[in-house]
């Protein structure tokens, strides 16, 4: 939207001093200079601004801020569903070297890095999870449930996935999504999961086929998985209206194949049912190094991939302001929970199932905050980069500005 469309400007007192970039950042907002316009990205949306709305040093003028506030751009959307993440299996049939559930690299150089302890969701634990969830939802006044089926590989326990969704519908209107490697997704399983509320699946590609088949390999025999994953998505799409979020991992090992990958996916899949996004993978302390730096070359590549994806008909999500994750953004599990397959609670996806990171159990609830304060972290907190925060922020801002400019120029925004 353009700021000129903002309404209700008289509902709040006008700020009297310009808002500097640091203050904007503290409120979860960013102000980016595009080719022909300024972009305001706030927790409540994106607005296009003119030079007259911005101070010479890149801050927001008081009148502009007032109008943005009045139109809700500084206010995050109301949480409407309780976000429940459940690991139905902590084991995985693949052996990705960067997996945050590995405890080290495979010292033999094979495809079997050591992992967190193996557990599997049972009917009894589902009973405890749903009892806990009902209590938490009542406490915060939420009436809808959004479940993330997570692992390990969630489909190593298909019965657990199906039973969880089926029984969750008895406590609240439920919808679900899943993060899966998709190697075990059959059409019949996709249909049964969809019938029980599954709406979308996130699947990862580690670069183009050859790179992917070297990195994302079967744990048992090191075999490639690219063709199987694509085939399974195609077949599941024939029997369900599932949507797909395709995550492309970017590292020094995959970088040069990403252009070809985008075209390959565009030819093999129905882009109108897929969202494509690119993510530079980082090291979570398991010794998986990514030497790709956040340089101008990398930001140009991200922009090129995003534009090609849009051209092929994929969805590329519009950048926004910083949003508080409903699952790990609150240090008391207020709007959601992450539950491992044995019923232990973690603060975020990346600590789930890891020893010494438990913040409670579904049977007994959360442990007192005093003893677990340092375990309440968010997903990104574990990643370490060789570059400073300013370099990372500059990279993100450059990529996001180019995307917003392009969406605007092509009439998509
Ligand atoms: S498929 Fe996912 S859970 Fe399995 S090893 Fe790879 S990153 Fe880890």
């Amino acid at each position: 939207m353009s700021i000129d469309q903002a309404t209700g400007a008289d509902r709040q007192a006008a700020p009297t001093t310009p808002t500097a970039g640091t203050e904007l950042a503290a409120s979860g907002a960013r102000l980016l200079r595009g080719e022909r316009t300024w972009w305001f990205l706030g927790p409540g949306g994106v607005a296009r601004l003119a030079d007259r709305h911005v101070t010479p040093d890149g801050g927001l003028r008081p009148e502009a801020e007032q109008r943005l506030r009045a139109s809700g751009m500084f206010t995050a959307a109301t949480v409407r569903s309780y976000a429940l993440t459940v690991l139905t299996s902590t084991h995985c049939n693949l052996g990705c070297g960067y997996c945050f559930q590995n405890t080290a690299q495979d010292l033999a150089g094979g495809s079997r890095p050591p992992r967190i302890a193996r557990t599997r969701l049972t009917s009894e634990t589902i009973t405890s999870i749903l009892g806990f969830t009902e209590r938490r939802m009542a406490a915060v006044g939420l009436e809808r449930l959004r479940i993330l089926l997570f692992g390990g590989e969630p489909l190593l326990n298909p019965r657990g996935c199906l039973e969880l969704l089926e029984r969750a519908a008895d406590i609240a209107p439920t919808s679900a999504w899943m993060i899966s490697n998709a190697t075990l997704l059959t059409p019949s399983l996709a249909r049964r999961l969809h019938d029980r509320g599954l709406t979308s699946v996130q699947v990862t590609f580690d670069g183009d086929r050859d790179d992917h088949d070297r990195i994302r390999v079967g744990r048992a025999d090191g075999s490639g998985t690219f063709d199987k994953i694509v085939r399974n998505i195609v077949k599941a799409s024939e029997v369900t209206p599932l949507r797909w979020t395709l995550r492309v991992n970017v590292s020094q090992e995959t970088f040069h194949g990403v252009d070809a990958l985008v075209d390959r996916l565009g030819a093999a899949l129905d882009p109108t049912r897929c969202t494509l996004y690119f993510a530079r993978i980082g090291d979570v302390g398991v010794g998986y190094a990514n030497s790709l730096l956040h340089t101008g070359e990398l930001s140009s590549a991200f922009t090129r991939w995003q534009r090609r994806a849009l051209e092929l008909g994929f969805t590329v999500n519009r950048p926004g302001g910083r949003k508080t994750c409903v699952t790990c953004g609150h240090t008391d599990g207020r709007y959601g929970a992450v539950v491992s397959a044995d019923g232990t609670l973690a603060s975020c996806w990346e600590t789930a199932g890891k020893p010494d990171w438990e913040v409670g159990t579904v049977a007994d609830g959360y442990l007192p905050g005093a003893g677990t304060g340092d375990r309440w972290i968010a997903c990104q907190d574990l990643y370490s980069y060789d570059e400073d925060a300013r370099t990372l922020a500059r990279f993100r801002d450059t990529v996001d500005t180019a995307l917003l400019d392009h969406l605007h120029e092509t009439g998509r925004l």
Side-chain angles (χ1 to χ4, degrees):
M1 71 178 290
S2 140
I3 193 173
D4 297 327
Q5 295 169 281
T7 56
D10 55 349
R11 287 207 296 263
Q12 295 186 14
T16 53
T17 54
T19 304
T22 46
E23 293 167 51
L24 279 178
S27 64
R30 286 184 286 162
L31 194 54
L32 306 176
R33 174 169 223 146
E35 290 229 336
R36 291 196 198 84
T37 190
W38 286 85
W39 295 105
F40 172 85
L41 295 80
V46 173
R48 197 155 45 85
L49 305 184
D51 284 340
R52 68 179 185 282
H53 299 126
V54 179
T55 61
D57 56 353
L60 259 187
R61 290 199 187 278
E63 320 76 63
E65 181 184 337
Q66 181 204 15
R67 297 186 69 168
L68 289 166
R69 283 195 185 282
S71 59
M73 292 286 172
F74 277 89
T75 312
T78 308
V79 176
R80 303 210 178 278
S81 301
Y82 187 79
L84 176 67
T85 297
V86 180
L87 283 68
T88 60
S89 159
T90 60
H91 188 51
C92 187
N93 58 327
L94 302 193
C96 312
Y98 54 77
C99 181
F100 57 69
Q101 292 171 338
N102 294 342
T103 52
Q105 293 294 296
D106 181 344
L107 294 178
S111 54
R112 306 174 73 91
R115 288 181 58 80
I116 55 174
R118 197 188 287 208
T119 52
R120 190 179 163 82
L121 185 68
T122 62
S123 298
E124 199 183 346
T125 309
I126 291 175
T127 303
S128 297
I129 290 173
L130 294 178
F132 168 86
T133 302
E134 253 187 312
R135 294 191 293 278
R136 300 296 298 184
M137 288 176 70
V140 76
L142 290 173
E143 292 175 352
R144 282 191 276 175
L145 185 54
R146 179 77 170 158
I147 293 181
L148 167 60
L149 299 172
F150 194 59
E153 171 47 48
L155 296 184
L156 279 173
N157 185 2
R159 219 177 56 191
C161 294
L162 292 164
E163 183 180 338
L164 175 66
L165 297 190
E166 197 160 298
R167 293 178 55 192
D170 293 338
I171 67 164
T174 300
S175 69
W177 63 298
M178 174 167 68
I179 296 182
S180 164
N181 62 40
T183 57
L184 304 170
L185 185 63
T186 62
S188 134
L189 183 52
R191 198 180 313 107
R192 281 182 290 158
L193 288 166
H194 174 259
D195 288 347
R196 288 160 179 78
L198 187 75
T199 58
S200 66
V201 184
Q202 178 176 309
V203 182
T204 295
F205 289 93
D206 275 307
D208 200 17
R209 183 159 53 197
D210 288 351
D211 295 329
H212 177 104
D213 282 347
R214 197 178 60 251
I215 301 167
R216 195 155 262 256
V217 292
R219 188 174 175 83
D221 56 5
S223 57
T225 56
F226 189 94
D227 289 340
K228 184 187 281 185
I229 293 170
V230 170
R231 205 165 43 239
N232 288 352
I233 294 176
V234 169
K235 285 187 179 164
S237 298
E238 285 168 5
V239 297
T240 69
L242 283 172
R243 282 200 57 88
W244 308 90
T245 298
L246 311 178
R247 174 188 157 115
V248 177
N249 278 346
V250 180
S251 71
Q252 76 280 2
E253 299 206 37
T254 65
F255 177 79
H256 293 287
V258 175
D259 293 280
L261 171 70
V262 174
D263 281 349
R264 192 186 297 279
L265 294 177
L269 305 175
D270 176 358
T272 63
R273 286 173 61 175
C274 303
T275 297
L276 202 54
Y277 82 98
F278 307 92
R280 184 195 176 284
I281 46 172
D283 183 10
V284 283
V286 297
Y288 186 87
N290 186 350
S291 61
L292 212 54
L293 295 178
H294 289 86
T295 60
E297 187 194 1
L298 188 61
S299 58
S300 304
F302 268 63
T303 295
R304 188 175 69 244
W305 302 330
Q306 288 174 336
R307 290 184 182 194
R308 180 63 179 151
L310 286 164
E311 201 177 10
L312 291 169
F314 289 105
T315 298
V316 176
N317 282 338
R318 192 178 70 177
R322 190 183 66 229
K323 291 202 170 67
T324 304
C325 173
V326 281
T327 305
C328 61
H330 302 271
T331 54
D332 54 2
R334 193 178 319 160
Y335 298 121
V338 179
V339 190
S340 191
D342 62 358
T344 55
L345 292 159
S347 75
C348 69
W349 303 349
E350 294 184 6
T351 55
K354 293 186 178 173
D356 304 328
W357 283 100
E358 293 167 25
V359 293
T361 65
V362 285
D364 299 326
Y366 289 110
L367 292 162
T372 59
D374 55 356
R375 298 182 191 173
W376 281 97
I377 64 160
C379 283
Q380 289 301 320
D381 293 352
L382 285 178
Y383 283 90
S384 62
Y385 294 97
D386 292 337
E387 297 155 286
D388 61 26
R390 282 179 63 175
T391 304
L392 301 180
R394 198 179 315 121
F395 172 83
R396 185 191 56 170
D397 289 351
T398 304
V399 173
D400 287 354
T401 305
L403 177 56
L404 286 166
D405 281 348
H406 183 71
L407 292 172
H408 181 53
E409 279 159 18
T410 54
R412 295 177 171 98
L413 179 67

